[in-house]
Amino acid sequence: MGRLDGKVAIVTGAAPREPGVGNGSAMAILMAREGAKVLLVNRSTERAEKLAADIAADGGEASVFAGDVTNTDDVAAMGQAVMDRYGRLDILCNNVGIGAGGGANRVEDVTDETWDRLVDVNLTTAMKCSRVAVPLMRDSGGGGSIINISSIAGALGLTGGPGAAAYAATKAATHGLTLSTAADYAAEGIRCNCIVIGSVATPMVAAAGAEYRQRRIDMVPMQTEGTGWDIGWAAVYLASEEARWVTGLILPIDGGLCALRAWPR
Ligand SMILES: NC(=O)c1ccc[n+]([C@@H]2O[C@H](COP(=O)([O-])OP(=O)(O)OC[C@H]3O[C@@H](n4cnc5c(N)ncnc54)[C@H](O)[C@@H]3O)[C@@H](O)[C@H]2O)c1
């Protein structure tokens, strides 16, 4: 028996930009391994098709939906696609997220363009996808689990780097969206939780170079990086019936970094 047998999941930004295991791909692979059918949402289909093939080779079921989740019409079509293909929706992983790019990103450095782009991609996408998912979960009749993805940058002020004002603001706002969604739909059994991701070695981070990675490791009380699998297993738990009474949780998976300060504040 899989922990997610009979359930249907959407994972946005499922395929990482570079080869390797990202947070979204680990969530999709592990959810499929636990019995869920998974809709993999990406703008480019090539990497997502490879992920779907890997999941099929692993004995799971997944298919690709090509769409940009900043686009309202694409998000509506994503909801239609999951119902057409699988007939229900139980799990939504709002994984899509981007950084501001290299260079200084303190508040005095942020351009309007960067601010708007990060709000659009990191925050508004979670609202748009949840807005479409909630009625589908309700119609499916089995409750639901929405999993938002945040960052330690949204929970802690991190010094020693080039700043992350826009990124941190969008990730902190995701905590508010999570709590509000959890409260609004708890009575219907539609749960909403948020994973606060720490220093995880995804392909995106590998591309940032060894010095950047070592600086991130040095901050972590456990003195190691996490992997996409650490995030994927947390998502499996939050999606499963094991977490049936868990909603509104802001869950750090970070090797102890958030333990350095009282939580929640
Ligand atoms: N890797 C880390 O250490 C770390 C730390 C904290 C938080 N996070 C968060 O984890 C999530 C995933 O990060 P990752 O490291 O696996 O990165 P990643 O870049 O490998 O994956 C993100 C995916 O989202 C896709 N995407 C971006 N915009 C999109 C859009 N508009 N529509 C559809 N797809 C889109 C990208 O193409 C990519 O495939 C992000 O929300 C990120 O902020 C990562």
Side-chain angles (χ1 to χ4, degrees), residues 12-18 22-24 41-43 47 67-70 94-98 121 125 149-152 167 171 197-205 216:
T12 69
R17 277 177 287 182
E18 309 286 338
N23 296 310
V41 181
N42 273 93
R43 286 169 301 184
R47 288 169 289 119
D68 179 340
V69 289
T70 63
N94 283 316
N95 172 66
V96 157
I98 56 171
V121 175
T125 58
I149 296 296
S150 164
S151 163
I152 47 170
Y167 184 75
K171 292 301 186 181
I197 299 183
S199 301
V200 167
T202 61
M204 176 179 86
V205 171
R216 282 169 33 117

Side-chain angles (χ1 to χ4, degrees), residues 92 94 126-127 130-131 134 137 145-148 174-188 190-193 247-248:
L92 168 66
N94 283 316
M127 178 279 290
S130 299
R131 184 169 66 187
V134 164
M137 289 174 171
S145 173
I146 298 172
I147 299 166
N148 291 329
T174 303
H175 300 167
L177 178 67
T178 300
L179 297 175
S180 175
T181 306
D184 287 341
Y185 299 105
E188 295 189 73
I190 297 173
R191 300 178 292 105
C192 183
N193 297 289
T247 193

